[in-house]
Amino acid sequence: ENERRLLLAGEVVQEITIEAVTDEAVQEAYDAAFGSEEPATEYNASHILVETEEEAQAVQARLEDGEDFAEVAQEVSTDVGSGANGGDLGWFGAGMMVAPFEAAVMEMEVGEVSDLVETQFGYHVIMLNDTREQEPPALEDVRAEIEGTLRDGAIQSALDEMTEAAEIDMPEEGEIDPALGLRAFDVQLMGGIFLH
């Protein structure tokens, strides 16, 4: 009986998901999530971080004298991670850097070196390497995630409807003696679940 119930439940779940996860539903969910999204600008920048304003001014002087940005970063930057890579921070978008740093980068032209930028980490000299527009993901790249969300939502809605329509009798607290342990029915049910 438990196996029969499990099979029937599986068939119902499959019907629910087939009805919920259609190409039209996936497209509609994609459009709702990404349809109005404008391309976001991403920035690729390098920086040299030092502790004092005097050190930052010395860095600027070296760069103005023609020294290579990456070599100076490797030599003096206190940001060990990016310093080892010539100051390269990679690609980042809005909200990923501290506000003064981000504001400076957003006002720069590609190839430009910034004035001194002070943050809670110290003084930065920044070079903007490149910018790009990050388009929303293609439907096929997020299809599996959207289908999973639609499937989960449909199953939860069906469960909510069944629970609302059902008449459920719950035992009162203390009505079942916990010393009795699992009842035979519980054991059979668990056995059926483990078999499947």
Side-chain angles (χ1 to χ4, degrees), residues 46-61:
S46 299
H47 79 142
I48 300 170
L49 176 64
V50 291
E51 292 181 8
T52 68
E53 187 174 357
E54 292 75 27
E55 290 173 306
Q57 289 169 343
V59 165
Q60 280 187 315

Side-chain angles (χ1 to χ4, degrees), residues 104-156:
V105 168
M106 289 182 170
E107 293 177 7
M108 295 172 66
E109 298 291 330
V110 172
E112 183 180 354
V113 176
S114 72
D115 291 330
L116 303 186
V117 177
E118 185 180 5
T119 70
Q120 67 263 40
F121 304 109
Y123 290 85
H124 306 257
V125 178
I126 307 165
M127 182 170 69
L128 181 60
N129 302 319
D130 203 358
T131 63
R132 68 182 180 192
E133 296 301 309
Q134 181 63 41
E135 297 289 334
L139 172 59
E140 290 312 311
D141 293 339
V142 292
R143 177 179 286 278
E145 182 181 337
I146 291 173
E147 287 177 351
T149 301
L150 291 172
R151 188 172 24 257
D152 293 347
I155 292 169
Q156 188 59 53

Side-chain angles (χ1 to χ4, degrees), residues 70-91:
E71 289 176 7
V72 176
Q74 288 174 334
E75 183 184 328
V76 302
S77 184
T78 59
D79 181 352
V80 179
S82 71
N85 294 320
D88 187 6
L89 294 167
W91 290 98

Side-chain angles (χ1 to χ4, degrees), residues 12-52:
V12 170
V13 167
Q14 187 173 9
E15 285 176 25
I16 291 168
T17 58
I18 287 172
E19 289 176 16
V21 184
T22 63
D23 286 340
E24 294 80 17
V26 169
Q27 183 66 54
E28 187 176 312
Y30 174 83
D31 291 342
F34 302 106
S36 62
E37 199 170 293
E38 293 294 321
T41 303
E42 290 189 321
Y43 305 90
N44 184 294
S46 299
H47 79 142
I48 300 170
L49 176 64
V50 291
E51 292 181 8
T52 68

